[in-house]
Amino acid sequence: MSAVVAVIVVGPLVAAMCGLLSSRHEVVRDIITMGSLAVVTGLAAWLLVVVNTDGPVAVRVGGWDPGLGIVLVADLFAALILLVATATILLVELFAIGQRRSAWGADPRLAGPILLVLTGGVVLAILTGDLFTLFVAFELILVSSYVLLTHQGQRGQIRSGMTYVVMNLFASTLFLVGVAFVYSATGTVNLALLAERIPALDDGLRMGIGLWFLVVFGTKAAIFPLFSWLPDSYPTAPTTITAVFAGLLTKIGVYALIRFHVLTGMDALGPVLLVLAGLTMLVGVAGALAQDDVKRILSFHIVSQIGYMLMGLGLFTVAGVAGAILFLVHQIPIKTVLFLVGGMIEVEAGTSALDRVSGLAARRGFIALMFALSALSLAGLPPFSGFVAKLALVDAGIDAVAIPIVVVALVGSILTLLSMAKIWLGVFWGSPVANGAGVPPAGSADLRPAGRRLMSVATATAVTATLAIAVFAGPLWEMSQRAATDLIDPTSYVAEVLG
Amino acid sequence: MIASTSPIVRLGVRAASPLALTVAAFLFFAGHNRPGGGFAAGLVLGAVVALRTMAGLQRPTHATGLLTAGGIVAGLVALAPVVVGSPLLDQAVVETTVPALGKIKAGTALVFDAGVVLVVVGMVIAVLDGLGAEPLSQPSSPPVRRGHP
């Protein structure tokens, strides 16, 4: 099994290099990108099956002991998120190949290989078993995402790219200082050893470490009040890039937050997390209501939804953390789908501004259907995946007698539905205007029918996947609960890493 | 650029280059057990390339080739042990006695380091290429989109 983990981590990076080398041959490049992503996704699925039956897998890189070297650990939580993340990137790449010929697409010579580097970073962040490698993975993600964000060199992209990179580099610096802080306090950066040593520290030091990493991961995850970089920078990037960012980057921050804070037993931070969760939900959704562009509305929703995962974490119960994990599993594909639909709107109408597009439901029923399904799921209406995930969280909140946060979560859901209705009214209803009032972008005309079909297939597959989450909610919930149990009581994790 | 018209700078850089290459080679081999290694050696090599570029002695080229070749070499060496059932990034160590140098111990980590050198040098060249490829005095022309970073 350790070979599978090794290939999942190193494979995307080697494939990225091969992709760069063959940047002049379109077909070869696409085969390398799609092929390697498909292989990684397949291996991730296999890993999940194995971990689900046999327990966590730990790989000691170079054969070094956990205290000295790097350990890669695939427990149930990691394997589950890994599969969802890689499958999502695979679908986005399929969409990107279809969108190649439109002006909204990313430069494929660069975007494919750099997307693979980003995948390598995401995979490493999910599988790593120590804090310093997590830092390296975050840097890998940051550098590649900065390239993806700004590689078209448009004015808006460079401007908001600056905000993005400055905020994130600041968080990275804090991260590095925090790693030194943890090392001097405990003498290790290995997560399994930290799970034993941090709870033994005295309260002040423990809370200091917990709050420090809350700021670090909170900036990456865009929680209130550290989210300001997100709604500004995401909408400027090409659609496929924004879709990957929306689905993955902030979620990796949440993943690290859950991994670190639950594993090291930061229960005392629960109330702080719950207050931040409530504020993140409300401020994010209020921001979304004030926007008048599809991509900007969706960007504020990324922030708002982060609050729900934070709520599950803040409860620090098995049900709460399991709810957060299930929400993460639902949120990665659904956010990506919504941005892909936003991209299709852009390609069709030449803009994503609400007041310049209308009547798209009559012209493109398929896009309307895709949007409706994923928007209802985001708002948390039955029978979609969002309902399952939110029900789990609300249930956990009531069990833990945290009524205020449950009320905030439900209000947030209603407001989410309201802003989704705003997009629906603006974009899909009304009388069809040819190409909206916007000017069709140069290059949208030569979008080949095959390309449009590929985009539809990718979006439809992703929507189907989110519906599948609702259908298989039972087994997924059971799996999330076991993953949460292993995080809260890390005996099996520690035994596998150190044993 | 003033550096490229000054004979002192050109001569100095030309004379210093072999010395710097020696330092790079030393760092490369020292890195196994002492400070140094592929990254440090790559940086010294990169500095040589940067100096020679500024002195007008050479043009920075082949950035993508070096970068990708290095990445592929390093990645494959990292993955190779997995094929024979050893952990990721494990290395095979060879020990021999050579007449002039005495006992020599080398591992496949050297190949990995060579990949790192290529990546670092490629990166430096890519930056030089991106920053100062065209002389400033040329009439402004529309920016050309390049195929590599």
Side-chain angles (χ1 to χ4, degrees):
Chain A
M1 218 57 247
S2 67
V4 171
V5 175
V7 173
I8 290 178
V9 171
V10 183
L13 295 177
V14 175
M17 294 299 165
C18 296
L20 271 179
L21 205 58
S22 59
S23 64
R24 287 195 189 83
H25 309 283
E26 194 179 338
V27 180
V28 179
R29 201 181 47 221
D30 284 350
I31 290 174
I32 289 174
T33 317
M34 279 303 288
S36 54
L37 283 172
V39 168
V40 169
T41 309
L43 290 178
W46 186 20
L47 188 65
L48 177 62
V49 171
V50 171
V51 169
N52 192 29
T53 49
D54 299 349
V57 176
V59 179
R60 293 176 181 191
V61 175
W64 294 95
D65 280 342
L68 296 171
I70 299 167
V71 189
L72 302 172
V73 195
D75 59 355
L76 197 51
F77 181 33
L80 191 59
I81 302 299
L82 185 70
L83 176 60
V84 177
T86 49
T88 305
I89 298 177
L90 180 67
L91 287 175
V92 172
E93 177 58 23
L94 191 65
F95 186 94
I97 290 176
Q99 207 193 19
R100 172 78 34 82
R101 296 276 168 215
S102 88
W104 303 103
D107 179 0
R109 279 169 304 185
L110 205 55
I114 303 292
L115 188 64
L116 283 173
V117 177
L118 183 77
T119 311
V122 166
V123 164
L124 187 62
I126 293 174
L127 287 177
T128 183
D130 75 75
L131 217 46
F132 187 76
T133 312
L134 186 61
F135 167 76
V136 174
F138 272 2
E139 287 307 283
L140 205 55
I141 294 174
L142 174 59
V143 170
S144 50
S145 61
Y146 179 64
V147 173
L148 288 174
L149 193 61
T150 56
H151 77 276
Q152 288 180 319
Q154 288 163 11
R155 185 184 294 269
Q157 294 174 344
I158 305 285
R159 187 185 55 78
S160 55
M162 268 321 271
T163 325
Y164 174 76
V165 83
V166 167
M167 276 298 281
N168 278 284
L169 270 182
F170 181 65
S172 296
T173 313
L174 288 183
F175 194 169
L176 196 58
V177 175
V179 171
F181 186 17
V182 167
Y183 185 77
S184 71
T186 62
T188 183
V189 290
N190 182 287
L191 284 175
L193 287 169
L194 286 178
E196 290 179 337
R197 295 188 192 170
I198 286 187
L201 295 174
D202 62 74
D203 275 356
L205 197 52
R206 206 155 47 92
M207 289 306 100
I209 292 173
L211 284 171
W212 190 284
F213 280 96
L214 179 60
V215 173
V216 170
F217 297 140
T219 311
K220 302 280 180 190
I223 65 174
F224 177 86
L226 302 163
F227 66 89
S228 58
W229 55 272
L230 190 147
D232 233 15
S233 57
Y234 277 22
T236 60
T239 306
T240 46
I241 304 304
T242 319
V244 173
F245 286 11
L248 288 169
L249 297 198
T250 49
K251 312 304 178 290
I252 294 301
V254 174
Y255 173 87
L257 201 62
I258 295 178
R259 163 78 69 203
F260 184 79
H261 281 70
V262 178
L263 213 52
T264 56
M266 295 289 178
D267 309 36
L269 285 179
V272 180
L273 282 168
L274 285 181
V275 170
L276 288 178
L279 286 170
T280 309
M281 287 176 203
L282 290 182
V283 172
V285 83
L289 282 171
Q291 301 303 314
D292 53 7
D293 181 283
V294 175
K295 282 166 96 178
R296 286 189 65 88
I297 292 179
L298 293 176
S299 292
F300 272 99
H301 273 299
I302 298 176
V303 177
S304 162
Q305 303 292 318
I306 295 293
Y308 289 89
M309 293 166 235
L310 214 54
M311 167 187 168
L313 171 63
L315 295 172
F316 278 102
T317 58
V318 170
V321 175
I325 294 173
L326 190 61
F327 203 87
L328 206 51
V329 169
H330 136 80
Q331 192 65 202
I332 292 174
I334 203 76
K335 217 61 248 193
T336 307
V337 171
L338 279 167
F339 273 95
L340 291 183
V341 173
M344 291 175 91
I345 295 173
E346 250 180 6
V347 169
E348 289 301 329
T351 174
S352 64
L354 289 183
D355 52 352
R356 293 165 75 185
V357 193
S358 84
L360 208 58
R363 284 198 298 135
R364 295 275 168 206
F366 175 76
I367 300 181
L369 177 68
M370 290 296 117
F371 177 80
L373 290 177
S374 42
L376 291 177
S377 181
L378 184 79
L381 263 66
F384 300 104
S385 59
F387 170 71
V388 179
K390 275 184 182 161
L391 180 67
L393 281 174
V394 167
D395 203 30
I398 292 172
D399 276 351
V401 209
I403 303 305
I405 191 71
V406 171
V407 173
V408 171
L410 294 175
V411 171
S413 289
I414 294 168
L415 293 178
T416 305
L417 192 59
L418 197 61
S419 63
M420 287 297 132
K422 192 174 159 182
I423 296 183
W424 182 260
L425 288 176
V427 173
F428 294 104
W429 274 359
S431 54
V433 185
N435 282 325
V439 186
S444 76
D446 49 276
L447 183 69
R448 293 165 297 190
R452 181 170 281 146
R453 215 174 303 134
L454 217 50
M455 286 162 66
S456 304
V457 167
T459 315
T461 314
V463 169
T464 315
T466 65
L467 292 178
I469 292 175
V471 173
F472 296 107
L476 267 175
W477 172 239
E478 186 265 335
M479 216 185 262
S480 310
Q481 271 182 320
R482 272 191 294 136
T485 316
D486 285 350
L487 279 175
I488 287 180
D489 174 26
T491 339
S492 67
Y493 180 90
V494 172
E496 177 63 29
V497 175
L498 304 181
Chain B
M1 217 181 292
I2 191 139
S4 58
T5 57
S6 157
I8 300 173
V9 172
R10 292 176 76 103
L11 199 64
V13 170
R14 196 171 281 166
S17 299
L19 298 177
L21 290 184
T22 318
V23 173
F26 169 75
L27 283 173
F28 179 72
F29 289 109
H32 192 66
N33 287 326
R34 280 173 294 160
F39 187 73
L43 284 181
V44 174
L45 274 181
V48 172
V49 175
L51 277 175
R52 292 180 71 87
T53 306
M54 288 208 292
L57 292 170
Q58 69 180 61
R59 291 186 65 84
T61 50
H62 304 303
T64 316
L66 287 170
L67 253 175
T68 50
I72 292 171
V73 166
L76 290 183
V77 172
L79 274 181
V82 172
V83 179
V84 294
S86 302
L88 180 69
L89 274 169
D90 201 8
Q91 64 161 343
V93 180
V94 189
E95 220 177 305
T96 49
T97 316
V98 180
L101 295 165
K103 201 176 80 172
I104 285 185
K105 194 176 157 193
T108 46
L110 269 185
V111 187
F112 181 83
D113 260 358
V116 175
V117 170
L118 291 180
V119 170
V120 175
V121 174
M123 196 65 220
V124 171
I125 293 178
V127 170
L128 288 172
D129 199 19
L131 286 180
E134 278 86 40
L136 290 170
S137 55
Q138 270 191 356
S140 60
S141 53
V144 183
R145 187 181 269 182
R146 288 168 185 281
H148 55 77

